[in-house]
Amino acid sequence: MVRAPGLWAYRNKMEFSFGTRIWRADKPYVDKGDGGGGDAADHGNGGAPGPPVSGPPPPRKVYPPGGNDGFVLGLHAPGRYDKLVPVDRCLIQPDAANEVLAFLRTRCEELLLEPFDVKTGTGYLRAVGLRTATDAAGVVQVSVNLITADDEVPGRLVPLAAELGARFPAVTSVVHNIQASSSDRGGGGRRGAPEVVLYGRRTIVQAVRGLTFEMSANSFFQTSAGSAALLYDRIVEAADLGPADTVVDLFTGTGTIGLALAASAGRVVGVELVADAVADARRNAERNGVTNAAFYVGDLTALKGGMALADVVDWEGAPPPLVTRRAAGGGGGSAGGGGGGGGDDDAPAAADGGDAAAAKADVQMDVVVVDPPRAGLHPKLVRWLARCGARRVVYVSCNAATQVRDVALLQSHEPRWQLTSLTPVDMFPHTPHVETVGVLELVGESAAVEG
Ligand SMILES: C[S@@+](CC[C@H](N)C(=O)[O-])C[C@H]1O[C@@H](n2cnc3c(N)ncnc32)[C@H](O)[C@@H]1O
């Protein structure tokens, strides 16, 4: 296990919800006249398991009865969409973000910005995302992402954004997203509306292992920059690249893993579904002077055995050098973008042999890195990986359960693959989660690369 460099204040992104109801561990709840308000039935937690509330909630105004606690800012109690544990200070996020959190708790209420009430569907403020980064000069920056239910009064948040910037020198970015309904969320971004910059810049800059990365409010970045550096060290070691190697970084996000590998590779090709993330990856390559890495948009769920990576990637007219590869499993599809591809993808492993192989132009793949979302890899993608021509696959995962499933499937295929190492990296102290780096080596007959 690679230990986390620090157990506290490590988390660079937290999202706190605004709401109107407090979750309390004590049931039945007794109104002690401190302004908590409400009735026993509404405030009990229904026996649901959850962490104890740390200390009493801060003094509050008196609100009308009926289960409404007024203005609450905090984290959802486990399994509760409607009740929050008030949080004034979160020990796993940096102090710079905590100062902003405490300020917002009182200031938003003073400004009469109503918290969103999930039960009635009324109110304005839904959540605030606080992202913290430290640049190469050691300057701490905080990005504040205010998320509201609507924008009926345009410019309503502009004075608050200006006040945040004036009061907190670390706040260099305040952006606004509208999330009209709970289904507007997803994919690390918010579909309801684009990020609107209310103050400062759209991005903040994080330094990791001598590189710097721009992060916008909703782009993916590893949760802890300190642990990310150790994770990337492990990935570089695991990939074990030579100067003539091409490494393909699948699910590349903003390109951080690919860029960390660029110094030890001949070429890096990154593929990612989200076009904005690909744009960030290209900017990150440019700002770090990395010239041997290219990033492209592609939907990896479309990959099936017998297809070339080139079939699902939009090269935008500038593909990397392609080699002709014998694609096992029935061939079909055209290289160079857009083609359908074929192959009896669901055929059992024994039928995956090369008899029906067709020569296809594809990216040279010496080592492939995959870093999928928690759901892991689609079985078709695992089958494709088994025959992609790489000698090594580095599987980075934030969900060991899906990783185990995918590794077992990969190992059941011809040519034969073997898991040779698995290293947990403590990316999430105080939680049961770990990031893991698995290394799979091709031990069977290698897929033919013809030139
Ligand atoms: C766990 S993140 C990894 C990001 C990146 N490797 C890093 O370390 O910052 C998973 C990434 O997979 C991308 N993704 C999800 N589904 C995808 C798909 N079908 N095709 C390509 N990329 C996908 C997400 O947008 C996200 O950026």
Side-chain angles (χ1 to χ4, degrees):
M1 165 78 89
V2 177
R3 297 174 72 135
L7 296 182
W8 304 103
Y10 69 85
R11 199 174 162 101
N12 55 25
K13 188 179 182 202
M14 287 289 296
E15 183 171 302
F16 301 92
S17 296
F18 294 98
T20 56
R21 291 174 173 81
I22 293 175
W23 179 86
R24 292 183 172 86
D26 49 340
K27 188 187 178 190
Y29 172 68
V30 179
D31 187 344
K32 300 191 183 83
D34 62 358
D39 54 70
D42 190 64
H43 288 287
N45 67 2
V53 176
S54 53
R60 294 175 187 286
K61 290 182 185 170
V62 177
Y63 291 96
N68 188 329
D69 293 304
F71 196 104
V72 188
L73 176 57
L75 295 170
H76 282 278
R80 298 301 305 238
Y81 75 100
D82 56 341
K83 291 193 178 171
L84 299 170
V85 178
V87 180
D88 286 338
R89 183 168 175 236
C90 172
L91 295 176
I92 59 170
Q93 77 170 358
D95 282 347
N98 276 323
E99 287 166 17
V100 174
L101 178 69
F103 171 76
L104 285 174
R105 161 66 192 85
T106 51
R107 192 66 182 127
C108 291
E109 188 173 14
E110 284 165 9
L111 292 172
L112 304 178
L113 298 168
E114 323 83 54
F116 190 75
D117 183 326
V118 282
K119 287 211 163 159
T120 61
T122 57
Y124 179 62
L125 290 176
R126 273 186 182 271
V128 59
L130 297 174
R131 190 157 218 178
T132 317
T134 306
D135 69 13
V139 176
V140 174
Q141 313 127 78
V142 177
S143 160
V144 181
N145 180 202
L146 295 161
I147 300 143
T148 65
D150 64 59
D151 196 23
E152 281 165 15
V153 185
R156 194 175 175 195
L157 291 173
V158 171
L160 175 63
E163 195 176 347
L164 280 166
R167 184 178 278 258
F168 301 100
V171 173
T172 55
S173 168
V174 182
V175 300
H176 176 206
N177 282 100
I178 300 159
Q179 186 189 321
S181 75
S182 47
S183 61
D184 281 346
R185 305 180 57 164
R190 286 165 200 289
R191 290 195 283 270
E195 289 165 14
V196 175
V197 178
L198 298 178
Y199 172 84
R201 294 157 43 94
R202 192 179 69 87
T203 57
I204 53 179
V205 174
Q206 176 66 50
V208 182
R209 296 174 87 254
L211 299 171
T212 56
F213 300 99
E214 284 191 25
M215 308 192 292
S216 59
N218 291 302
S219 63
F220 179 88
F221 198 85
Q222 298 292 348
T223 299
S224 156
S227 292
L230 301 178
L231 175 73
Y232 298 155
D233 282 349
R234 179 66 200 115
I235 294 170
V236 169
E237 193 186 328
D240 194 17
L241 294 161
D245 283 335
T246 295
V247 57
V248 173
D249 179 18
L250 301 181
F251 305 94
T252 192
T254 53
T256 44
I257 292 177
L259 292 171
L261 290 168
S264 51
R267 181 183 302 280
V268 176
V269 176
V271 179
E272 159 65 40
L273 180 66
V274 177
D276 283 351
V278 171
D280 285 348
R282 290 172 181 166
R283 257 201 316 278
N284 283 331
E286 206 175 319
R287 68 176 292 125
N288 287 290
V290 175
T291 53
N292 62 339
F295 298 94
Y296 303 95
V297 176
D299 181 357
L300 296 165
T301 54
L303 264 179
K304 297 193 256 186
M307 289 175 77
L309 182 62
D311 291 332
V312 301
V313 172
D314 179 2
W315 300 120
E316 298 177 38
L322 302 182
V323 294
T324 305
R325 181 167 68 85
R326 188 179 295 282
S334 59
D344 180 6
D345 191 70
D346 294 319
D352 289 343
D355 284 356
K360 303 189 72 169
D362 204 359
V363 181
Q364 180 181 333
M365 277 174 259
D366 298 300
V367 175
V368 174
V369 177
V370 291
D371 182 12
R374 288 186 65 75
L377 302 174
H378 192 283
K380 290 179 179 178
L381 182 53
V382 177
R383 290 187 190 105
W384 176 87
L385 261 184
R387 300 177 300 235
C388 72
R391 65 172 184 273
R392 183 173 302 121
V393 170
V394 179
Y395 188 149
V396 184
S397 170
C398 57
N399 184 350
T402 53
Q403 186 184 33
V404 164
R405 178 201 65 198
D406 297 343
V407 166
L409 183 58
L410 188 61
Q411 293 192 136
S412 74
H413 274 275
E414 292 295 337
R416 239 165 51 71
W417 287 87
Q418 192 170 356
L419 182 73
T420 55
S421 76
L422 186 67
T423 310
V425 178
D426 191 4
M427 186 74 77
F428 319 98
H430 304 289
T431 79
H433 301 283
V434 285
E435 196 84 6
T436 46
V437 181
V439 182
L440 291 129
E441 307 276 355
L442 188 62
V443 291
E445 185 193 338
S446 115
V449 176
E450 296 172 341

